Amino acid sequence: MKFYITILLVSVLSFNSLAQTKLDSSVKTDKPKLVVGVVVDQMRYDYLTRFWNKYGNDGFKRLISEGFNFKNNHFNYIPTYTAPGHASVFTGTTPQNHGIISNSWYNKFEQQYIYCVTDESVQPLGTIASAGKMSPNRMLTTTIADENRLFTQMRGKTIGIALKDRGAILPAGHTANAAYWFHGQEEGKWISSTFYMEEMPKWVQEFNISGAALSYMKPWDAIQDLESYLESGTDENLFEGGYKGKSTATFPYDLEALGKNNGNYDLLKVTPYGNSLTTDFAIAAIKGEELGKDDYTDFLTVSFSSTDYIGHNFGVNSKEIEDAYLRLDLDLARLLENLDAEVGKGNYTLFLTADHGGGDVPTYLTSVKIPSGYFDDVKFEEDLNKFIGEKYKKGGTIESVSNYQIFFNYRTLRELGIDRNAFEKDIAHFILQYPKVSNVFTRSQLESGSYVQGISGLIQNGFNQKRSGDVIFVLKPSVISYTTTTGSTHGSGFSYDTHAPLIFFGNGINQGSTARRSEIIDIAPTISVLLGIAFPNATTGVPLEVVLKKTN
């Protein structure tokens, strides 16, 4: 009897062992040692295709040929600005939940206009300037990097890097080991805040005294034959801003000579060299922080900000923007080469996307007979207040007009006995009749309705019940509010602002492409599945299964 019991027990144990082995084989155990999240500021999807023939083989082309390309990837909310974009990529949700409703917004509780990452409770590191008093304190949710830190019991590192503070801080999240951003002006240094640490690491101090920033204060000329830049408009035209101290926005640009009138080291941000400096610093961070060197997955977030500054200055159809992307292609190749050497091919996963797109300069569109124009914020606010004065015979009912949102003064409405719902309808009706406005939405509509498609769905996803205004309006296509008639901007829900690249590359990633729609909020849950960790805590996106290799 004991013999049979022993045989049965061995059989059961063997079966369980085989079953567990089969289960283990279907669970991914070879996680990447490092995840690199790259965001290119103001990158339209068609920059991939438009400049394709001029790219080398080791940057964008390598990512696409060896990785997976989502050709129909979009932002699913309004407004398409830098801060909401970076937050949405890494939290897997929209401003409705993560709370970063713009780069700056009117805070009705503090009754003041606030910047998305300011934090008076922290001190600057690497500078004495207030530019260092920043943190992710206003972001309400976790990022994918936060969830990786929690999963690894804080053993997996997170480092965030960008010229812009918000481009470094928001992706890295609340638990990051560090976020670094560039402080130009007279200093030209990478800085941080005491939110992350008490003193700068030695490798950062060494980088800042290396003269790297100074080395880029040199001439900027076309990296390829300027006459071959046929994918862009003429070099000299009426649609570009340029720099103070130079009469035309044409190549070449002597940065050393132009620096004095253009913010000194801040001028680097508005040239491709800002991206090159970012790449240099990211490579230094990989080595200095020993990223990808142990058994716990690390995160590196890198945002290339210069493309946005250049787009705002010169426009999306400029030769300057084309040259910026040809140079960024080389910087990406350098970054990939370093990752191969330091972390190892197949040991890291990288994704590349944007925080928003960008539209053509309206004056250019008008010149080729495409409907477009400019919206005068100042006149609009004057007309709105005039309407309220004539209708209600009282002022002080509006606290703020900003980001295409109207914030009511509820105390004044109560004191005057004005019904909020009636007031809301009157304001909405007035705005809808206004030239160059296409849609208007009220707080009552957004709180009681559930919009999921079209412009109304984008507004709903960008509407945060506590932080957003009481009436929100949308301008017509290719109509912008801008301080100048040169250069491009963004912020709308139209395809030129929502259509952004999305490429996955490296460990655990299939090779291929798709034209099926994906959304920016799908990135974070996809990386969560790859790593086998929890989704960011307010995720509304869904994993993109097609990109992930099967493990059985």
Side-chain angles (χ1 to χ4, degrees):
M1 178 65 74
K2 289 181 179 180
F3 174 78
Y4 289 112
I5 292 174
T6 301
I7 292 294
L8 180 61
L9 182 60
V10 169
S11 298
V12 170
L13 290 174
S14 297
F15 176 81
N16 287 342
S17 178
L18 287 171
Q20 185 62 47
T21 300
K22 186 174 182 181
L23 177 63
D24 290 343
S25 70
S26 67
V27 176
K28 187 170 181 61
T29 56
D30 56 335
K31 293 181 181 180
K33 291 180 176 295
L34 175 66
V35 173
V36 182
V38 176
V39 177
V40 183
D41 208 322
Q42 202 187 124
M43 184 174 182
R44 294 160 54 110
Y45 177 83
D46 67 351
Y47 288 156
L48 286 176
T49 56
R50 206 169 114 199
F51 309 137
W52 182 260
N53 291 335
K54 287 189 170 59
Y55 290 141
N57 293 323
D58 301 320
F60 287 116
K61 285 186 176 179
R62 181 185 173 192
L63 292 178
I64 289 177
S65 64
E66 297 179 26
F68 200 98
N69 182 22
F70 288 87
K71 300 179 180 180
N72 189 23
N73 183 63
H74 289 267
F75 285 86
N76 66 329
Y77 61 85
I78 296 173
T80 44
Y81 293 143
T82 296
H86 283 81
S88 298
V89 168
F90 288 87
T91 63
T93 192
T94 66
Q96 183 181 55
N97 297 306
H98 61 59
I100 303 299
I101 62 173
S102 188
N103 294 335
S104 300
W105 64 88
Y106 180 73
N107 186 311
K108 61 185 107 177
F109 302 103
E110 299 178 25
Q111 293 186 313
Q112 63 177 337
Y113 211 63
I114 59 169
Y115 180 56
C116 58
V117 291
T118 50
D119 188 346
E120 291 299 321
S121 71
V122 302
Q123 296 302 313
L125 274 184
T127 182
I128 61 172
S130 60
K133 302 185 76 170
M134 305 288 170
S135 85
N137 73 104
R138 298 188 191 277
M139 184 166 62
L140 304 175
T141 63
T142 62
T143 67
I144 182 62
D146 283 326
E147 294 300 334
N148 183 66
R149 290 274 285 160
L150 293 171
F151 184 85
T152 62
Q153 299 301 311
M154 303 296 170
R155 296 184 182 97
K157 285 186 175 180
T158 297
I159 304 294
I161 294 169
L163 294 179
K164 294 182 180 180
D165 45 26
R166 55 190 183 271
I169 292 168
L170 297 172
H174 303 276
T175 61
N177 299 83
Y180 300 103
W181 52 99
F182 186 69
H183 182 52
Q185 300 177 19
E186 303 293 336
E187 297 187 47
K189 297 192 299 185
W190 292 89
I191 65 173
S192 189
S193 80
T194 54
F195 177 85
Y196 303 99
M197 64 199 113
E198 293 304 314
E199 62 179 2
M200 284 287 206
K202 184 179 179 182
W203 70 265
V204 179
Q205 296 179 43
E206 290 175 348
F207 188 95
N208 279 335
I209 63 174
S210 69
L214 180 61
S215 71
Y216 286 113
M217 295 297 287
K218 60 183 182 180
W220 171 26
D221 205 350
I223 197 169
Q224 296 184 26
D225 179 13
L226 188 63
E227 296 301 317
S228 73
Y229 286 16
L230 301 177
E231 300 79 9
S232 304
T234 58
D235 192 26
E236 186 170 1
N237 56 66
L238 301 175
F239 317 120
E240 302 176 14
Y243 305 116
K244 295 177 182 177
K246 192 174 191 302
S247 59
T248 60
T250 56
F251 283 110
Y253 300 98
D254 185 345
L255 303 191
E256 183 179 10
L258 293 168
K260 183 178 180 180
N261 293 321
N262 293 275
N264 294 304
Y265 285 111
D266 276 337
L267 178 58
L268 289 179
K269 299 177 182 179
V270 201
T271 77
Y273 298 142
N275 286 339
S276 298
L277 182 64
T278 301
T279 306
D280 296 342
F281 192 70
I283 289 172
I286 292 168
K287 182 176 181 179
E289 295 290 344
E290 298 185 327
L291 298 179
K293 294 296 186 182
D294 59 26
D295 294 331
Y296 299 98
T297 301
D298 297 324
F299 258 82
L300 173 65
T301 72
V302 182
S303 180
F304 290 106
S305 307
S306 288
T307 42
D308 182 69
Y309 289 113
I310 296 167
H312 280 293
N313 190 3
F314 295 96
V316 304
N317 197 47
S318 64
K319 293 193 185 299
E320 285 80 1
I321 204 73
E322 178 167 356
D323 193 71
Y325 276 90
L326 299 185
R327 290 176 180 271
L328 177 59
D329 184 56
L330 298 177
D331 285 325
L332 287 172
R334 280 202 298 134
L335 180 60
L336 292 171
E337 181 182 24
N338 182 263
L339 288 167
D340 289 344
E342 292 293 325
V343 185
K345 288 185 178 181
N347 288 333
Y348 64 92
T349 302
L350 180 147
F351 66 83
L352 182 146
T353 188
D355 56 348
H356 51 73
D360 276 290
V361 181
T363 49
Y364 166 67
L365 292 179
T366 299
S367 75
V368 293
K369 302 179 181 179
I370 293 177
S372 59
Y374 292 90
F375 182 81
D376 190 332
D377 286 319
V378 174
K379 187 175 187 308
F380 169 76
E381 189 165 356
E382 290 174 351
D383 290 344
L384 176 62
N385 285 323
K386 180 181 178 182
F387 164 76
I388 293 171
E390 292 175 350
K391 173 81 175 180
Y392 289 94
K393 313 301 181 187
K394 297 286 183 180
T397 53
I398 303 296
E399 279 194 3
S400 174
V401 179
S402 54
N403 292 318
Y404 309 116
Q405 299 186 31
I406 315 298
F407 291 80
F408 296 168
N409 186 322
Y410 288 98
R411 177 179 294 178
T412 301
L413 290 179
R414 285 195 301 270
E415 290 174 352
L416 297 175
I418 297 174
D419 179 72
R420 184 184 71 84
N421 290 325
F423 187 70
E424 181 184 72
K425 289 178 181 178
D426 286 339
I427 298 298
H429 182 73
F430 168 79
I431 295 174
L432 190 58
Q433 312 310 310
Y434 207 80
K436 298 176 182 174
V437 170
S438 65
N439 302 90
V440 182
F441 300 88
T442 66
R443 172 172 289 275
S444 296
Q445 288 175 310
L446 295 169
E447 288 181 341
S448 62
S450 182
Y451 303 103
V452 295
Q453 294 181 331
I455 291 294
S456 56
L458 301 182
I459 289 289
Q460 182 93 71
N461 288 335
F463 178 77
N464 183 275
Q465 192 174 22
K466 290 189 71 170
R467 294 182 173 180
S468 295
D470 299 290
V471 176
I472 301 172
F473 61 97
V474 178
L475 302 180
K476 292 178 180 180
S478 297
V479 172
I480 63 174
S481 172
Y482 216 37
T483 57
T484 177
T485 56
T486 58
S488 297
T489 193
H490 49 86
S492 79
F494 299 109
S495 60
Y496 49 81
D497 283 340
T498 68
H499 191 192
L502 175 56
I503 308 167
F504 288 88
F505 170 89
N507 182 294
I509 302 302
N510 286 321
Q511 191 281 326
S513 65
T514 181
R516 293 180 61 183
R517 182 182 171 93
S518 60
E519 294 182 338
I520 212 74
I521 59 173
D522 299 334
I523 297 172
T526 301
I527 295 296
S528 288
V529 171
L530 175 71
L531 299 181
I533 65 177
F535 291 7
N537 60 12
T539 293
T540 50
V542 295
L544 300 167
E545 293 184 72
V546 67
V547 77
L548 299 174
K549 285 183 178 178
K550 295 187 182 297
T551 57
N552 55 0

